[in-house]
C-alpha cells in the first residue's frame, strides 16, 4: 500500500544530488552506509506491526527493509527527486508493502505520539547545530511514550591521531560535496549521543559500521523515558 500527500511543488535543493545519491554513497562507502542505516532494524527493536517513521528518507532502502519485516512504514522527505528514486526502488522490490510516502517538510509533520520507532539516518547532518537540535526534538515528539529514536551518521573522530585526522578529512569531503550541491551546513561531526541524552533519551545501544578498518559510521538508539 503506497499513498502520497497532494502538495504544491516546492524548490528542490536535491534536484542534482537526488538522482545520484545512492551512487555517490556507494563510491564513498560501498554498502557500509546502508548497513549502518539498517543496523538497528533488528528483531530486538523492530517488531511486525510497529509503526516506523523515517525522516529525510533519501533513496530509502532501509525503509523497504523495515517494511519487509512487517513494519508499518511512513517515509518523509522534502525532496521530490529523492522520493522519485525511493518509489523506483519500491517498484523494483515488486512487493505489496505497507509504506506511506509523504512529500513534506518534517517539521510540519504533526503525528505526535504515533510511532514506535523514529529514524533519522544521515539526515540531521545537513542542518546547523542549533536547528539540528530543534529537528531532533520534533522527531522525539513524534514517537510514542515508549518509542525508540534512531540516529545514524558519520562517526565522531575518535581513536589515535591518524584515525581522527582520517575521519575528519572523510567527513569534510562528504559534507563539502553536499554544501556545494544542496546548500547543507558546514560543521564538525555532531555528538549525537550528547544531543540525544540532553533531550531526555536514554541511549541504550550504539553500533559502529567499519570502513577500511575504521569505525566510519555510528548508529545510536535512544529510548524515551
Amino acid at each position: 500500500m503506497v499513498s502520497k500527500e497532494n502538495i504544491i511543488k516546492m524548490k528542490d535543493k536535491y534536484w542534482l544530488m537526488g538522482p545520484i545519491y545512492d551512487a555517490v554513497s556507494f563510491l564513498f562507502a560501498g554498502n557500509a552506509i546502508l548497513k549502518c542505516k539498517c543496523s538497528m532494524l533488528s528483531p530486538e527493536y523492530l517488531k511486525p506491526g510497529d509503526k516506523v517513521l523515517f525522516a529525510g528518507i533519501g533513496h530509502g532502502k532501509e525503509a523497504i527493509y523495515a517494511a519487509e519485516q512487517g513494519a508499518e512504514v511512513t517515509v518523509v522527505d522534502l525532496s521530490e527527486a529523492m522520493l522519485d528514486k525511493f518509489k523506483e526502488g519500491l517498484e523494483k522490490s515488486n512487493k505489496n508493502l505497507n509504506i506511506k510516502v509523504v512529500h513534506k517538510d518534517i517539521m510540519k509533520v504533526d503525528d505526535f505520539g504515533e510511532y514506535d520507532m523514529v529514524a533519522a539516518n544521515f539526515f540531521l547532518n545537513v542542518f546547523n547545530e542549533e536547528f539540528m537540535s530543534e529537528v531532533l526534538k520534533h522527531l522525539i515528539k513524534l514517537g510514542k511514550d515508549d518509542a525508540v529514536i534512531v540516529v545514524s551518521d558519520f562517526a565522531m573522530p575518535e581513536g589515535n591521531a591518524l584515525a581522527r585526522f582520517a575521519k575528519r578529512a572523510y567527513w569534510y569531503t562528504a559534507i563539502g560535496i553536499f554544501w556545494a550541491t544542496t546548500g547543507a551546513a558546514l560543521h564538525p561531526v555532531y555528538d549525537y549521543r550528547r544531543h540525544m541524552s540532553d533531550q531526555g533519551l536514554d541511549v541504550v545501544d550504539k553500533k559502529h559500521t567499519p570502513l577500511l578498518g575504521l569505525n566510519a559510521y555510528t548508529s545510536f538508539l535512544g529510548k524515551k523515558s
Side-chain angles (χ1 to χ4, degrees):
M1 179 182 68
V2 180
S3 62
K4 178 181 177 180
E5 286 195 352
N6 293 318
I7 65 171
I8 299 174
K9 288 187 177 181
M10 58 200 73
K11 183 178 180 181
D12 188 350
K13 293 182 179 180
Y14 282 75
W15 66 271
L16 177 61
M17 182 57 67
I20 61 172
Y21 177 81
D22 262 9
V24 172
S25 295
F26 188 81
L27 286 174
F28 253 73
N31 287 320
I33 289 179
L34 179 59
K35 288 180 180 178
C36 182
K37 290 179 176 182
C38 292
S39 62
M40 295 298 182
L41 301 178
S42 64
E44 181 180 3
Y45 302 121
L46 183 66
K47 304 293 190 297
D50 279 355
K51 296 184 69 174
V52 184
L53 182 142
F54 290 91
I57 188 59
H59 289 196
K61 291 179 180 178
E62 70 273 24
I64 294 173
Y65 176 76
E68 289 173 340
Q69 310 314 305
E72 182 181 336
V73 173
T74 297
V75 302
V76 181
D77 207 302
L78 187 59
S79 168
E80 188 173 17
M82 287 291 199
L83 289 180
D84 285 344
K85 295 300 292 185
F86 172 74
K87 286 182 283 186
E88 285 181 19
L90 187 58
E91 289 175 4
K92 288 178 181 177
S93 74
N94 198 29
K95 295 179 179 179
N96 185 25
L97 300 174
N98 192 348
I99 299 179
K100 177 182 179 182
V101 180
V102 180
H103 181 196
K104 198 171 188 178
D105 183 339
I106 189 62
M107 297 299 283
K108 295 181 180 178
V109 175
D110 58 1
D111 303 327
F112 299 122
E114 290 291 322
Y115 298 96
D116 298 287
M117 176 185 285
V118 179
N121 294 321
F122 296 80
F123 168 61
L124 296 174
N125 58 27
V126 303
F127 308 115
N128 65 56
E129 191 162 14
E130 181 179 1
F131 189 63
M132 180 277 292
S133 182
E134 290 300 311
V135 176
L136 177 59
K137 181 179 180 180
H138 184 79
L139 295 179
I140 294 170
K141 289 170 62 179
L142 293 172
K144 297 178 180 178
D145 289 342
D146 59 348
V148 294
I149 310 300
V150 176
V151 177
S152 304
D153 219 311
F154 284 73
M156 290 285 290
E158 300 168 332
N160 60 37
L162 182 59
R164 294 196 304 273
F165 174 81
K167 289 183 180 180
R168 287 192 180 98
Y170 185 57
W171 159 248
Y172 279 110
T173 300
I175 196 61
I177 292 172
F178 277 84
W179 169 79
T181 58
T182 71
L186 284 174
H187 56 82
V189 176
Y190 291 140
D191 184 350
Y192 291 111
R193 176 188 282 274
R194 175 178 62 81
H195 278 280
M196 294 170 77
S197 296
D198 287 349
Q199 301 217 28
L201 296 176
D202 183 12
V203 181
V204 298
D205 204 352
K206 172 184 178 181
K207 294 182 179 179
H208 286 302
T209 303
L211 178 68
L212 300 178
L214 294 176
N215 290 326
Y217 312 104
T218 307
S219 187
F220 294 101
L221 183 139
K223 289 188 176 182
K224 292 181 72 172
S225 299

